[in-house]
Amino acid sequence: DGGITQSPKYLFRKEGQNVTLSCEQNLNHDAMYWYRQDPGQGLRLIYYSQIVNDFQKGDIAEGYSVSREKKESFPLTVTSAQKNPTAFYLCATVSSSGVAGYNEQFFGPGTRLTVL
Amino acid sequence: AQTVTQSQPEMSVQEAETVTLSCTYDTSESDYYLFWYKQPPSRQMILVIRQEAYKQQNATENRFSVNFQKAAKSFSLKISDSQLGDAAMYFCAGADSNYQLIWGAGTKLIIKP
């Protein structure tokens, strides 16, 4: 099946730990995104990548890091520098073919991160 | 910079009735794209409907339609014949000539049986 997988579904982190959230896609999409979702707020962009080995900071990149070593994978690391990481994290992809801005973003099922 | 505003944190509607969710999108671009996404309790984000700003005709997808008023920067979503499965968070989002979406804060839709 074509789609986006995120793992784990639930993740618990102790203070001072780094944790990595996985995002894998087999849609052959070039662009991938990481969003953070907090209650009562819309999605906020953490990082995005439009091609392999290249990525850009979004609006709330501080305390996060990413890599894009292959097209299918875009892992997000939540570092100890992120002071309030408890949130729901969504990974999305979009095709770069056609008109920029027109294509819909496809989303993974999300990872719920809780700091203990 | 673009901004997306959803001023209704929560809306409720009787099953089988019609409800309209509001959104405004402010941008200096003349060409852009607007989206409504649905996030049910499962939290899986799904595209509901898309509107291209240069098109005068409002988009329609079955029971879902938009009322796009470009001059007023308004992009509302109308859901007809509301069903229990429509209960969800609804997010309005906009994109101009790049691949980034700007998101509204969302509206929680409650369906009363």
Side-chain angles (χ1 to χ4, degrees), chain B residues 45-84:
Chain B
M45 195 77 79
I46 306 163
L47 177 67
V48 174
I49 199 164
R50 165 176 42 204
Q51 174 77 40
E52 297 154 67
Y54 67 86
K55 286 190 175 179
Q56 295 195 358
Q57 186 172 8
N58 288 326
T60 299
E61 291 284 345
N62 300 314
R63 297 183 296 106
F64 298 87
S65 61
V66 300
N67 183 5
F68 176 50
Q69 303 289 330
K70 192 170 185 178
K73 305 181 192 298
S74 171
F75 179 58
S76 59
L77 174 69
K78 186 172 84 170
I79 306 174
S80 304
D81 184 25
S82 298
Q83 300 175 0
L84 295 177

Side-chain angles (χ1 to χ4, degrees), chain A residues 2-15:
Chain A
I4 303 165
T5 57
Q6 289 187 242
S7 61
K9 187 172 182 179
Y10 299 98
L11 185 58
F12 298 90
R13 190 193 93 169
K14 294 182 180 178
E15 296 273 359

Side-chain angles (χ1 to χ4, degrees), chain A residues 29-33 92-96 102-106, chain B residues 99:
Chain A
H29 287 171
D30 293 300
M32 298 186 73
Y33 303 79
T93 72
V94 66
S95 172
S96 300
Y102 174 80
N103 294 333
E104 72 176 278
Q105 290 192 5
F106 291 85
Chain B
Y99 295 99

Side-chain angles (χ1 to χ4, degrees), chain A residues 33 35 37 40-43 45 48 50 88 95-96 99-105 107-109, chain B residues 33 35 37 39 42-45 47 50 52 91 95-101 103-106:
Chain A
Y33 303 79
Y35 292 100
Q37 186 177 21
Q41 298 190 37
L43 277 64
L45 183 63
Y48 66 101
Q50 293 188 342
F88 188 65
S95 172
S96 300
V99 178
Y102 174 80
N103 294 333
E104 72 176 278
Q105 290 192 5
F107 287 82
Chain B
Y33 305 90
F35 303 82
Y37 281 84
Q39 188 180 41
S42 68
R43 306 203 78 170
Q44 178 68 57
M45 195 77 79
L47 177 67
R50 165 176 42 204
E52 297 154 67
F91 292 94
D96 51 30
S97 56
N98 59 40
Y99 295 99
Q100 290 189 51
L101 282 176
W103 296 81

Side-chain angles (χ1 to χ4, degrees), chain B residues 4-65:
Chain B
V4 179
T5 304
Q6 292 180 254
S7 58
Q8 306 155 315
E10 187 175 296
M11 291 282 286
S12 62
V13 63
Q14 204 72 36
E15 190 177 3
E17 298 289 307
T18 295
V19 64
T20 298
L21 309 184
S22 301
C23 174
T24 59
Y25 179 65
D26 197 358
T27 178
S28 57
E29 300 288 329
S30 59
D31 198 14
Y32 50 90
Y33 305 90
L34 297 170
F35 303 82
W36 279 99
Y37 281 84
K38 169 185 177 181
Q39 188 180 41
S42 68
R43 306 203 78 170
Q44 178 68 57
M45 195 77 79
I46 306 163
L47 177 67
V48 174
I49 199 164
R50 165 176 42 204
Q51 174 77 40
E52 297 154 67
Y54 67 86
K55 286 190 175 179
Q56 295 195 358
Q57 186 172 8
N58 288 326
T60 299
E61 291 284 345
N62 300 314
R63 297 183 296 106
F64 298 87
S65 61

